[in-house]
Amino acid sequence: TQLLEQSPQFLSIQEGENLTVYCNSSSVFSSLQWYRQEPGEGPVLLVTVVTGGEVKKLKRLTFQFGDARKDSSLHITAAQPGDTGLYLCAGPKNTGGFKTIFGAGTRLFVKA
Amino acid sequence: DSGVTQTPKHLITATGQRVTLRCSPRSGDLSVYWYQQSLDQGLQFLIQYYNGEERAKGNILERFSAQQFPDLHSELNLSSLELGDSALYFCASSVGVAEKLFFGSGTQLSVL
């Protein structure tokens, strides 16, 4: 069982469409991070959200942290083929030591 | 380029063998993390070191071990390899503990 559940698992859309992917947990997180991973590469950090209800924008990407700090969403406006990749949410957990755990990810494919 | 260097990039070996994966963190980063990524399990936390000391442990098998050396580079040793150990192994580094992670490009391990 994943502590961080991501949905959908897979998303294939046309260029120009909008989309939202979700990251949910039954646990409270002090912060959540979003990473993007492209084939053959390691994940790259996009953003960290810290405050409940926080909204952060990164060009066409909008990240939101839930009020209760148990969930987060990533909205992409007018998706482009360059947005294709695996989107991972991650958060710190202090069990057996302080570690960063990841959700299983949403694999996004944007068709030109 | 994240600044984290992992070698080798690809490794093909046979069941029962032992391999060593190497990671050089970003300059100035004291924490090194090891993750295993497979298609069915996602990105799984294995172990973390901070300034040479083990700080957190995940679902790391007893056949696997790691260490961080005085120059802060780290090695992940995998022994008695099984087919199921085939995966991408990522190293990440951060300045402190559970801060934003910078990932290397990974080592693709294939056990035949």
Side-chain angles (χ1 to χ4, degrees):
Chain A
T1 303
Q2 295 274 2
L3 273 178
L4 289 168
E5 298 283 346
Q6 290 192 245
S7 62
Q9 288 184 321
F10 182 80
L11 193 54
S12 179
I13 61 171
Q14 289 292 140
E15 181 177 6
E17 291 183 7
N18 302 332
L19 67 116
T20 302
V21 299
Y22 301 93
C23 175
N24 295 294
S25 177
S26 56
S27 303
V28 174
F29 281 83
S30 57
S31 64
L32 281 179
Q33 299 171 336
W34 285 91
Y35 290 79
R36 187 174 88 191
Q37 184 180 13
E38 298 185 29
E41 298 297 327
V44 176
L45 178 69
L46 296 174
V47 79
T48 301
V49 285
V50 179
T51 307
E54 180 178 5
V55 176
K56 277 191 175 178
K57 291 195 174 187
L58 190 68
K59 296 183 182 177
R60 294 176 293 101
L61 278 59
T62 302
F63 303 85
Q64 187 161 6
F65 199 12
D67 291 340
R69 292 185 286 127
K70 291 183 177 181
D71 56 88
S72 182
S73 63
L74 158 58
H75 181 81
I76 301 179
T77 304
Q80 298 176 1
D83 296 327
T84 293
L86 178 67
Y87 288 82
L88 298 158
C89 68
K93 266 305 171 192
N94 192 5
T95 52
F98 213 72
K99 66 191 85 163
T100 299
I101 61 167
F102 283 78
T106 291
R107 194 166 296 277
L108 172 65
F109 182 66
V110 182
K111 294 175 279 190
Chain B
D1 182 11
S2 67
V4 178
T5 304
Q6 285 190 249
T7 57
K9 196 161 177 64
H10 301 277
L11 199 48
I12 301 174
T13 187
T15 55
Q17 295 298 305
R18 172 191 164 96
V19 297
T20 297
L21 313 183
R22 196 177 190 278
C23 170
S24 293
R26 287 189 327 153
S27 176
D29 284 358
L30 299 178
S31 283
V32 169
Y33 310 75
W34 286 98
Y35 286 86
Q36 179 193 58
Q37 188 176 42
S38 57
L39 283 174
D40 57 342
Q41 291 290 325
L43 204 59
Q44 297 293 314
F45 172 76
L46 295 178
I47 198 163
Q48 180 210 346
Y49 284 84
Y50 177 80
N51 204 20
E53 292 191 7
E54 182 184 305
R55 274 300 183 94
K57 222 168 184 177
N59 298 324
I60 186 168
L61 300 172
E62 284 190 13
R63 301 183 285 109
F64 296 0
S65 65
Q67 54 183 325
Q68 186 180 27
F69 295 86
D71 67 353
L72 301 178
H73 91 271
S74 178
E75 292 181 355
L76 178 67
N77 301 295
L78 315 176
S79 61
S80 302
L81 285 167
E82 302 175 359
L83 295 177
D85 297 328
S86 296
L88 258 173
Y89 290 84
F90 284 104
C91 168
S93 72
S94 67
V95 174
V97 175
E99 297 183 4
K100 63 179 181 180
L101 304 181
F102 293 86
F103 282 82
S105 296
T107 293
Q108 177 68 61
L109 174 66
S110 298
V111 182
L112 306 178

